[in-house]
Amino acid sequence: MSSPSENAGGNRGKKVRVSFRPNRSTKRRDTDWTRKVRDSGDQELDADRSESVAAKGDLSRRRTIIEFGQGNALDPGLCLGTVIAVRGLFADVDDGEQIWSCTVRRVLRTRTIKDRHPVTVGDHVRFRVESNEKGIERQGVIEAVEPRHGELKRRVRNRIHTIVANVDQAIVVSSASQPHPKPHLIDRYLVAAGVGEIAPVICMNKIDLDEDGMAREILAQYALLGYNTVCTSAATGEGVNELRDILRDKENVFAGQSGVGKSSLLNVIQPGLTLKVGTIVDHTDKGRHTTTTASLIRLEMGGYVVDTPGVKSFDLSAVGRHEIEAHFIEFLDHIPHCKFPDCGHTHETGCAVKGAVERGDIRIERYDSYIRLFEESAS
Ligand code: GDP
Ligand code: ZN
């Protein structure tokens, strides 16, 4: 049987192993930790591997974390928690009841040398309690990071950073009026959420102002495509319970243009929440926020809301143009029938997507949205 640390290097490239070995040979505690994993059985060993955090893009593939199998196999004494904030080398970890100030084990730090920080807000981690005395800050050491899903990323110069991990849902908020719904903006957010593997829910707020029924009609079109939708009014309370049920026990991010009522909705859901949360707004609406690190805010009913002060968190500039089509869900049945396998559905002959637009099977607004995103995006 090979040791977990050898497995951890895998076939995934030298860099990872080089940074891991020197550390392993010098740290006594790492050896102990390795043995504990070995003692815990083959099943966990097989699950123990190094893995790229993100599924998409060459840039993100470079970053690694250590992941461990399910359950508490690593060490029954370790506690499970969620990173809710990162401050320098410390991470605040919420175990569901209280917050622990944790450092990160060196073995994790050296492996992720290319990343800004080996743990990110939203990471599910296992940590060892270091001090839990009354009157002293609760302290721990993060020993392992679980595999990530749903990530919000940001491009800083030529690198992509994960700013929040394990986001389950993006609540894409629009408003019936003031401002009027902008379907193209909704489409942008849907693509961004899709690229990050975050499930979107489209929320049409200020439904009390939907006098001509246009907003409901727009929402109904998205529902027809298969998206989850909800109509709300922070003013009258309509749909708020439904929204609450959608948010409960999930890690949620709110996205939407300024003025659509994101803060008002949060405040109705949980008074005081709005004071803390700076939500994601369209990248054209700059300058509203000053800080750049994200954090998680706990919902009393269970779950979290992501506080992402960075206005560019849903930036699509790093998305390859051929990635976009996959997030226009009504295109998917048609794409295999395009004449050219690399069809961009713009000018090509024999394009099945354009054919579907002409027949009215794909709405022209959605197709136009696609073209705009295709033309804007990286090649
Ligand atoms: P945010 O920028 O998305 O956070 O939007 P705000 O929560 O600050 O709301 C912008 C404005 O819209 C405020 O004046 C709110 O009072 C108003 N507003 C928010 N939700 C509703 C709603 O459901 N109905 C109506 N009529 N007004 C709303
Ligand atoms: Zn095509």
Side-chain angles (χ1 to χ4, degrees):
M1 190 200 297
S2 56
S3 78
S5 43
E6 279 157 10
N7 276 355
N11 317 319
R12 303 204 184 226
K14 221 166 159 188
K15 268 181 206 147
V16 172
R17 270 199 263 185
V18 166
S19 61
F20 193 61
R21 283 224 165 107
N23 185 61
R24 183 180 138 224
S25 57
T26 53
K27 289 277 282 182
R28 169 87 189 112
R29 284 176 66 186
D30 294 345
T31 316
D32 290 341
W33 162 77
T34 303
R35 198 186 61 236
K36 273 176 199 143
V37 178
R38 191 182 296 137
D39 291 344
S40 68
D42 285 352
Q43 209 184 336
E44 287 74 30
L45 273 184
D46 291 343
D48 174 28
R49 63 191 193 270
S50 110
E51 179 145 310
S52 293
V53 172
K56 304 216 164 58
D58 284 344
L59 284 164
S60 52
R61 210 166 282 142
R62 279 199 236 125
R63 297 169 303 119
T64 53
I65 57 165
I66 300 179
E67 70 175 44
F68 298 90
Q70 277 99 46
N72 252 336
L74 191 63
D75 180 339
L78 294 181
C79 305
L80 193 59
T82 301
V83 175
I84 59 164
V86 174
R87 296 172 283 111
L89 286 174
F90 292 89
D92 290 345
V93 177
D94 180 5
D95 69 2
E97 285 173 13
Q98 48 206 19
I99 312 295
W100 299 78
S101 176
C102 292
T103 54
V104 181
R105 186 172 194 75
R106 188 155 161 239
V107 69
L108 289 181
R109 289 213 302 267
T110 51
R111 281 190 63 121
T112 48
I113 208 127
K114 280 185 175 289
D115 205 353
R116 265 187 175 168
H117 199 283
V119 298
T120 295
V121 169
D123 267 336
H124 298 152
V125 297
R126 286 165 201 279
F127 66 98
R128 184 181 305 286
V129 170
E130 293 280 291
S131 101
N132 190 14
E133 289 164 45
K134 267 212 171 111
I136 301 178
E137 191 180 34
R138 292 187 180 83
Q139 292 175 338
V141 179
I142 294 174
E143 303 273 346
V145 182
E146 301 227 325
R148 291 173 181 164
H149 65 265
E151 292 174 87
L152 283 181
K153 295 170 190 171
R154 179 165 30 218
R155 191 190 190 101
V156 180
R157 275 165 245 114
N158 266 334
R159 292 184 49 196
I160 298 172
H161 297 279
T162 296
I163 52 171
V164 191
N166 302 321
V167 183
D168 300 306
Q169 270 181 167
I171 313 300
V172 177
V173 187
S174 243
S175 58
S177 185
Q178 303 164 25
H180 281 291
K182 295 188 180 62
H184 176 66
L185 206 49
I186 296 177
D187 295 335
R188 289 188 76 94
Y189 284 120
L190 291 178
V191 171
V195 167
E197 295 176 9
I198 300 169
V201 177
I202 306 168
C203 170
M204 188 63 75
N205 188 41
K206 307 198 193 181
I207 207 67
D208 54 297
L209 303 180
D210 187 28
E211 278 153 18
D212 56 4
M214 275 303 291
R216 280 185 201 272
E217 174 57 30
I218 289 169
L219 201 65
Q221 295 288 351
Y222 284 99
L224 267 179
L225 295 178
Y227 287 106
N228 286 329
T229 59
V230 58
C231 281
T232 58
S233 168
T236 68
E238 180 179 345
V240 167
N241 279 340
E242 203 183 328
L243 181 59
R244 241 188 227 118
D245 288 341
I246 289 168
L247 301 177
R248 184 172 289 121
D249 295 330
K250 301 234 167 63
E251 188 183 311
N252 305 283
V253 63
F254 276 70
Q257 201 188 354
S258 185
V260 293
K262 298 179 297 298
S263 321
S264 310
L265 280 173
L266 288 165
N267 204 29
V268 174
I269 285 156
Q270 184 173 313
L273 204 56
T274 176
L275 299 176
K276 297 178 187 163
V277 180
T279 47
I280 294 177
V281 297
D282 179 37
H283 73 298
T284 54
D285 178 50
K286 290 177 187 135
R288 220 167 73 116
H289 309 288
T290 48
T291 51
T292 52
T293 50
S295 58
L296 293 186
I297 296 164
R298 172 177 269 285
L299 290 168
E300 283 157 15
M301 64 188 179
Y304 296 95
V305 173
V306 174
D307 189 3
T308 44
V311 291
K312 285 208 167 191
S313 317
F314 260 7
D315 186 8
L316 284 174
S317 65
V319 178
R321 36 175 58 178
H322 285 282
E323 269 185 75
I324 292 172
E325 60 179 30
H327 308 291
F328 279 78
I329 53 180
E330 72 274 40
F331 291 16
L332 296 180
D333 283 347
H334 303 288
I335 290 168
H337 303 294
C338 290
K339 185 174 167 194
F340 302 106
D342 61 345
C343 187
H345 325 302
T346 57
H347 61 278
E348 294 88 345
T349 54
C351 172
V353 171
K354 282 196 289 180
V357 175
E358 276 155 25
R359 288 195 308 276
D361 292 342
I362 290 175
R363 267 169 41 237
I364 186 76
E365 295 84 356
R366 287 274 290 172
Y367 178 70
D368 287 345
S369 234
Y370 165 79
I371 294 294
R372 277 173 72 179
L373 291 171
F374 184 87
E375 283 170 357
E376 267 176 43
S377 65
S379 53

